[in-house]
Amino acid sequence: MSKKRGVLVWCLFGLATILLFVSSLTVWSKRQLLDDQAWADSSTQLLANDEVRGAIAQKLSDALFQRVDVEAQLRERLPRAQGAAPVLAATLQNTVGPAAADRLLQRPRVQTLWQNANKRAHAGVLKVLEGKDLGKNENISTANGEVTLDLRPAITRLATRLGVEDKLKANADPNAGQLVIMKSDQLGAAQMAVKILKALSSLLLIVVLALYALAIYLARGRRRLLLGATGTSLVFVGLVIASLRHFLGGVIVDSLVKTEANKHPVSVIWAIETSVLRDIAIILVVYGALVLLATVLAGANRPAVAVRRWLAPSFRHHPIVVWLAALAVFLILLAWGPTAGDRRLLGVLLLAATTAIAIEALRRQTLQEFPEDPHPAVGEAPAAT
């Protein structure tokens, strides 16, 4: 390569590495934050965790006692124990209420309702962010320009379970049990972010692959070096993402949660909500290692030459068997891969095409290095011309 070409090649390679990192974050954001089913699944995983479920139960119990005058209902139902009503109400609020809410949330039927409610709520929020008509959605409201999640149906269920069916306090906040997800001044920026995210998530991946391919193509005489550098780049970005996930998790939890007892539940939430990011990091490291392995197999070192010599008869006489074996390995890796693996048609086709090109390049190199012996031993048929 000339000096100018070398500079161009490494600039393309550096840009591809940076965009690979950005693309990984956009893919995670789109799949974790903009996918209804992924959001519902992660909410179910959160509810299955004892500490997180306990925190949710406490939140529901607190919201219930903000809306319902439990002490007044106890006085009404226990006329002979008027003096004990405040103590009983405090006991319900601090002990019985959270415990009852926790048991309620453990029921399979309630967990199914929880998952469906989260899915509907997430779909409603996405419609708002995409500027679509919200339609009929019991969980989401856009009144006064604010996106609000309504937890009052769950609070009503808890009140029924405790026997204090929704006798509202005279001075109760009518919005108790509603969570403001987004304020009006944040809505425009969020809608723009969703549009950009949807556009970039697929486009960036294609650009990254094109930049890597262009850099390797332009690196005449150094293509194997660039192929190895590409594998190293994939491994490097995967390790950076995994490290950032671990480091940022601690920083975010420490900045958001000041009470030590609440830090572990929030850490669990972070781990579950970034599980797709972890899977992406694993995929990049595995694919990068495979690219490095392919680079080594194409090298001039003794083990690589020995492997190619061993493969030469199969490439020459049994190419169908080689391709079937490669297809089997590809399908195993595709099935084994973490849940974030791009099993969508475009991702599978790109990965399959890249694998096929690598195998064909190895086959041609091997057959060129080890052509069929033009002077076969006695008793062997001569090679076909």
Side-chain angles (χ1 to χ4, degrees):
M1 287 190 299
S2 65
K3 187 175 180 180
K4 289 183 178 180
R5 183 183 285 261
V7 171
L8 174 61
V9 164
W10 287 110
C11 285
L12 291 173
F13 176 81
L15 180 60
T17 302
I18 294 172
L19 291 182
L20 175 63
F21 175 75
V22 177
S23 174
S24 301
L25 297 182
T26 58
V27 168
W28 163 65
S29 301
K30 182 179 179 181
R31 296 188 188 176
Q32 190 68 49
L33 303 179
L34 302 184
D35 186 282
D36 295 339
Q37 190 59 51
W39 184 270
D41 291 342
S42 63
S43 67
T44 303
Q45 293 178 47
L46 290 174
L47 199 61
N49 182 271
D50 293 340
E51 293 182 86
V52 176
R53 188 177 60 251
I56 296 172
Q58 185 66 58
K59 181 70 177 179
L60 288 176
S61 179
D62 292 344
L64 167 66
F65 282 85
Q66 288 177 15
R67 289 183 57 83
V68 179
D69 193 343
V70 175
E71 183 178 339
Q73 291 206 34
L74 289 174
R75 290 180 186 277
E76 185 179 300
R77 298 188 180 194
L78 301 172
R80 297 183 180 181
Q82 296 290 313
V87 177
L88 291 174
T91 303
L92 279 174
Q93 181 170 3
N94 298 324
T95 307
V96 179
D102 188 88
R103 288 193 298 272
L104 182 68
L105 293 173
Q106 290 184 51
R107 292 186 170 187
R109 182 183 176 189
V110 174
Q111 291 188 352
T112 301
L113 291 173
W114 169 271
Q115 184 181 34
N116 292 336
N118 270 276
K119 191 173 182 178
R120 289 196 302 270
H122 187 264
V125 172
L126 277 185
K127 285 184 178 180
V128 173
L129 294 177
E130 293 171 353
K132 298 178 181 178
D133 182 21
L134 190 58
K136 293 183 179 180
N137 194 308
E138 300 174 357
N139 302 98
I140 295 294
S141 169
T142 55
N144 301 320
E146 295 180 341
V147 183
T148 306
L149 175 63
D150 192 359
L151 296 177
R152 287 177 295 186
I155 295 170
T156 302
R157 283 180 172 272
L158 179 59
T160 303
R161 183 174 179 82
L162 291 175
V164 289
E165 293 90 338
D166 209 23
K167 183 177 181 181
L168 297 180
K169 289 181 179 179
N171 58 347
D173 183 356
N175 295 322
Q178 291 182 309
L179 300 178
V180 177
I181 301 174
M182 195 177 303
K183 296 184 178 179
S184 55
D185 57 346
Q186 302 169 324
L187 188 56
Q191 289 175 332
M192 180 59 68
V194 168
K195 290 180 181 179
I196 294 174
L197 187 60
K198 285 194 168 186
L200 288 181
S201 59
S202 299
L203 178 62
L204 276 181
L205 181 59
I206 297 174
V207 171
V208 167
L209 293 175
L211 287 174
Y212 277 132
L214 182 59
I216 293 172
Y217 173 76
L218 293 176
R220 286 182 296 185
R222 308 294 295 276
R223 286 173 179 166
R224 195 169 68 84
L225 172 64
L226 260 294
L227 183 63
T230 300
T232 304
S233 172
L234 295 178
V235 173
F236 173 73
V237 173
L239 293 177
V240 168
I241 291 173
S243 301
L244 281 178
R245 176 177 179 260
H246 178 75
F247 173 74
L248 288 179
V251 172
I252 290 173
V253 170
D254 289 339
S255 62
L256 293 179
V257 184
K258 304 304 179 184
T259 305
E260 194 65 32
N262 294 334
K263 287 188 177 182
H264 188 262
V266 178
S267 298
V268 172
I269 294 173
W270 171 261
I272 291 175
E273 295 299 336
T274 57
S275 59
V276 172
L277 198 61
R278 175 204 62 204
D279 291 347
I280 291 173
I282 294 173
I283 288 171
L284 289 176
V285 171
V286 171
Y287 288 172
L290 291 176
V291 172
L292 286 173
L293 177 62
T295 305
V296 172
L297 285 178
N301 56 84
R302 279 189 174 184
V305 173
V307 170
R308 292 199 297 274
R309 182 183 291 111
W310 176 71
L311 287 174
S314 298
F315 277 136
R316 184 180 301 111
H317 301 296
H318 307 289
I320 296 179
V321 175
V322 174
W323 283 106
L324 288 177
L327 177 61
V329 173
F330 177 79
L331 293 177
I332 290 171
L333 286 175
L334 196 65
W336 166 84
T339 55
D342 196 346
R343 293 176 175 81
R344 299 179 184 180
L345 181 60
L346 177 61
V348 172
L349 289 178
L350 288 174
L351 184 58
T354 304
T355 305
I357 291 171
I359 294 174
E360 178 61 19
L362 180 63
R363 187 188 74 83
R364 292 188 178 188
Q365 178 184 353
T366 301
L367 294 180
Q368 186 176 4
E369 280 183 301
F370 304 102
E372 192 167 11
D373 188 355
H375 304 290
V378 176
E380 289 185 1
T385 59

